[in-house]
Amino acid sequence: MRRKASPFSLVTLGVGTFLLVLAPLLAWYVEPRAAVNPIDIDTTAVYTGTGSVFDVEEVRTVPDQRITITQRVRGNVADSERSGKAAVWDVTTSVDTDKSLPAADPHDALDFTPHRWVNDRRTNRPVHCCGEKPYIQGEAYLKFPFDVQRRDYRWWDNTLGKTVTLRFQGVKKIRGYEGYRFTGTVPATRNGTRLVPGAIVDQPERPQVVAEEWYANHGIELVVDQATGRVLFARTGPRQTLRAPGGKKDAAVLLDSRKIQFTADTQKFAVDQAKKDSGQLRLVGRTLPVGAGVLGFVLAAVGAVLVARGRPRPESSASSASFESSQGPLTL
């Protein structure tokens, strides 16, 4: 008798073939499109440390002050969607001492800086549109690109107004979670001017002076999640000073701290989010493709064998001969 391929064998072969096609699609098409910067971001990072700050009421630099830096990042969804492929992030950074915290108005802070960063959602590179301010450059700012490499990166320093080269320094664990460590420093660099009373910059005979603003950084340390580029830990050592016009040395210290870093709560939030996001990328980019590929190969092989066994077979010569002999000779 002739056998037909069973529905089960055909379904098995079909499912296996589908999974074999799905596996590379997940790895090469879905995963890259999942690795994009969000447009609806709303996060707050808090840094704390101690250092010297200029007290405008006492008109002098006061040492050993507790310093809090609060950085809030909010995505502008409407502007992001209008841009096509960019994420538009509005960023506010405030620097406070205990005297100005809690502040009903952020403008009462020691320093308050609003700006807008527009980035390519896939590459993390700056996109110069949508009211970007200032003109940001470099490869990384607030976060690194996805799939961070073991190399140096150009990090945008908003206080400096330029990029800083951060060098790869190996790996480091934050709350038990491993990330890539990058470090860098900033030498004393003029970064602007400010109108101040002459007495502040050792020129008491002049009521007001356009003083030079200088900025340096004792040390920047960032620990970054390799898969997502999220900053797990950040430490900075800013020094901001004033000099008289053309002066060769600092006349007043506005802010000076060797170490201001993420609080424990900010570190925990960053690590938890990195685990979640990198896990999702790993699921789509590796776990599911490998699983689909292996299962698809097995099912396709089993289905092919079952289909082959169920195909019609030609009748053998022995069967034909037997049939003829059983009939006997034909007579009229």
Side-chain angles (χ1 to χ4, degrees):
M1 295 179 63
R2 296 182 177 182
R3 289 180 292 177
K4 295 182 179 180
S6 68
F8 174 76
S9 62
L10 295 175
V11 170
T12 302
L13 178 60
V15 172
T17 303
F18 171 76
L19 291 176
L20 288 174
V21 174
L22 178 64
L25 282 177
L26 287 171
W28 299 334
Y29 183 84
V30 177
E31 193 269 346
R33 283 157 178 77
V36 294
N37 290 341
I39 63 175
D40 58 348
I41 187 172
D42 189 350
T43 64
T44 300
V46 181
Y47 302 67
T48 57
T50 58
S52 301
V53 298
F54 189 84
D55 191 310
V56 294
E57 294 179 359
E58 299 185 28
V59 198
R60 69 183 182 91
T61 301
V62 182
D64 301 323
Q65 298 295 296
R66 196 165 82 106
I67 301 168
T68 300
I69 299 177
T70 306
Q71 187 176 67
R72 185 170 189 182
V73 183
R74 300 186 69 180
N76 189 307
V77 176
D79 285 357
S80 298
E81 291 176 342
R82 279 194 292 268
S83 72
K85 64 174 184 178
V88 180
W89 293 358
D90 291 318
V91 188
T92 58
T93 304
S94 61
V95 182
D96 291 276
T97 61
D98 289 344
K99 184 182 291 187
S100 60
L101 284 177
D105 185 347
H107 294 84
D108 293 335
L110 186 68
D111 184 66
F112 177 77
T113 307
H115 59 282
R116 170 172 283 196
W117 181 40
V118 186
N119 61 82
D120 185 290
R121 298 186 66 195
R122 294 185 186 177
T123 67
N124 205 61
R125 296 271 185 168
V127 176
H128 307 299
C129 74
C130 316
E132 172 206 31
K133 184 180 181 180
Y135 188 91
I136 294 175
Q137 298 174 296
E139 303 170 278
Y141 174 52
L142 302 179
K143 71 177 295 292
F144 277 60
F146 291 88
D147 189 25
V148 180
Q149 303 299 302
R150 295 174 178 241
R151 64 172 178 84
D152 299 344
Y153 280 85
R154 291 182 298 117
W155 173 268
W156 174 260
D157 187 317
N158 203 55
T159 304
L160 178 65
K162 296 179 182 178
T163 59
V164 177
T165 298
L166 296 185
R167 305 197 180 282
F168 175 71
Q169 300 290 352
V171 298
K172 182 177 180 179
K173 287 187 176 181
I174 303 298
R175 302 182 69 87
Y177 186 76
E178 189 173 273
Y180 285 1
R181 179 173 178 262
F182 297 87
T183 64
T185 59
V186 180
T189 306
R190 179 179 171 177
N191 67 325
T193 59
R194 181 182 299 196
L195 186 65
V196 299
I200 291 179
V201 290
D202 301 327
Q203 295 188 357
E205 71 282 359
R206 301 175 63 181
Q208 288 189 319
V209 175
V210 180
E212 297 177 358
E213 292 184 316
W214 285 70
Y215 165 75
N217 202 301
H218 300 293
I220 301 170
E221 179 186 6
L222 301 176
V223 181
V224 182
D225 178 42
Q226 189 276 329
T228 65
R230 176 182 287 275
V231 176
L232 308 172
F233 172 83
R235 176 180 60 81
T236 183
R239 177 178 172 83
Q240 295 173 258
T241 62
L242 292 178
R243 295 184 185 182
K248 300 299 182 183
K249 62 179 182 178
D250 297 333
V253 175
L254 301 179
L255 173 67
D256 188 18
S257 175
R258 287 280 175 178
K259 184 173 67 175
I260 304 175
Q261 66 185 35
F262 272 3
T263 63
D265 287 344
T266 297
Q267 292 179 45
K268 182 180 184 304
F269 176 80
V271 169
D272 289 346
Q273 286 298 116
K275 287 180 179 179
K276 175 185 174 183
D277 295 342
S278 62
Q280 291 175 345
L281 289 178
R282 186 166 54 250
L283 179 67
V284 175
R286 272 188 287 174
T287 306
L288 288 179
V290 171
V294 172
L295 182 59
F297 176 80
V298 172
L299 291 178
V302 171
V305 170
L306 293 177
V307 169
R309 287 181 176 179
R311 286 177 178 173
R313 297 183 178 178
E315 296 178 350
S316 64
S317 57
S319 298
S320 300
S322 174
F323 175 78
E324 292 175 356
S325 63
S326 66
Q327 296 296 317
L330 293 175
T331 58
L332 292 176

